[in-house]
Amino acid sequence: GPSPLPSLPLIMIVWMLLSSTMWILCLLSPWLFWDGVAEAAHGDDYRLLFVRSIIWGVFSYVVANIPFVYLDFADPDWVQPYRIQDGDNKKVTFSRWRRALGLIAFNVLAIGSLGAYLLYRSGRISIAPSLPSLSEVTVSDLGSLAVQFLGIVLVEEAGFYYSHRAFHHPRIYKHVHKIHHEWTAPVSITSVYAHPLEHAFSNVLPVMAGPMLMGSHVVLAWTWFTLALFTTTISHSGYHLPFHPSAEAHDHHHVAFTECFGVLGILDWLHGTNRTFLDGVKFKRHRTYYTSEPIKVTYPDPKHD
């Protein structure tokens, strides 16, 4: 049967511990440091919602990608069985990686700043100066948080699915979305390697819209932005590692082009844009698993006569 976690190479265990610690601390930071951040802003909405949202977005993007950038360039032996796509197509050259950085930087800094400005100007984000302590949180608070989070997730799913699918229209694709699909075997940093128009309307706006429509506190908004960044980073990483969310569906999209437009898969199922994916071995692999045996070994590719 599959091997348990202790049989993993030591370097893989270290990588997983370091990366998960970084990601968890990043996710918790808006809650842990809110009082200090709010006090330092002296009630200035511009500094809180605009300036600090830009800083937080850039910081989260960097933290999310550091572990995968290491894997892409160090290319250790232990990670090879966990690659989703086989062969040299997944290999990253420094020259190609460097050529992508200009557009990535523009999208993170310029388009991200536009998103932060929209957040600031919307007037829909709460910046209440203090949050209740854990001992003060009520069932009603938790219920409100759950409803807001559900609304945020569903808004992002709808916004991303329909805008993403629209950018695949033949008349638009060759001018806009084709840029993102230059990476048929994506690496983590290319989650935001896209035409600025696409990045604005397909990546940034659907993520921003949920907290604004729900009237969320800025701390929840920042936490959501971080979670969304981590999710898309893993989805574009090209790896399906133990204890990690599956990247199989979006990786399949980069190979097939015409399927798996969404994040959760709900709208793909409703619109029938995942039929080949559902019928194939990749769907069987599309789950989080907790053994050291690579998912491609557990569910091998079908043999063709």
Side-chain angles (χ1 to χ4, degrees), residues 133-274:
S133 64
L134 286 177
S135 60
E136 297 172 330
V137 173
T138 65
V139 174
S140 177
D141 292 332
L142 294 176
S144 174
L145 194 65
V147 169
Q148 286 186 55
F149 188 74
L150 177 62
I152 287 169
V153 170
L154 292 178
V155 167
E156 196 269 344
E157 173 71 2
F160 180 73
Y161 177 89
Y162 290 113
S163 62
H164 186 193
R165 192 170 176 183
F167 281 120
H168 270 267
H169 188 282
R171 293 183 179 178
I172 303 174
Y173 178 85
K174 61 183 178 180
H175 300 294
V176 180
H177 194 51
K178 183 179 180 181
I179 293 173
H180 184 66
H181 276 278
E182 288 174 7
W183 294 76
T184 53
V187 295
S188 66
I189 63 166
T190 60
S191 63
V192 296
Y193 181 78
H195 190 287
L197 188 68
E198 178 189 351
H199 186 59
F201 286 97
S202 196
N203 295 337
V204 174
L205 190 57
V207 172
M208 294 279 185
M212 289 190 292
L213 289 172
M214 302 302 293
S216 301
H217 193 280
V218 66
V219 167
L220 179 59
W222 286 344
T223 305
W224 162 243
F225 299 158
T226 306
L227 184 61
L229 266 170
F230 286 178
T231 301
T232 191
T233 297
I234 292 173
S235 294
H236 287 85
S237 69
Y239 304 104
H240 192 172
L241 294 156
F243 294 86
H244 286 65
S246 170
E248 299 283 351
H250 195 71
D251 204 275
H252 175 75
H253 172 76
H254 274 260
V255 174
F257 282 50
T258 56
E259 289 199 328
C260 298
F261 295 103
V263 178
L264 301 177
I266 298 172
L267 291 174
D268 281 301
W269 178 75
L270 286 173
H271 291 289
T273 49
N274 60 356

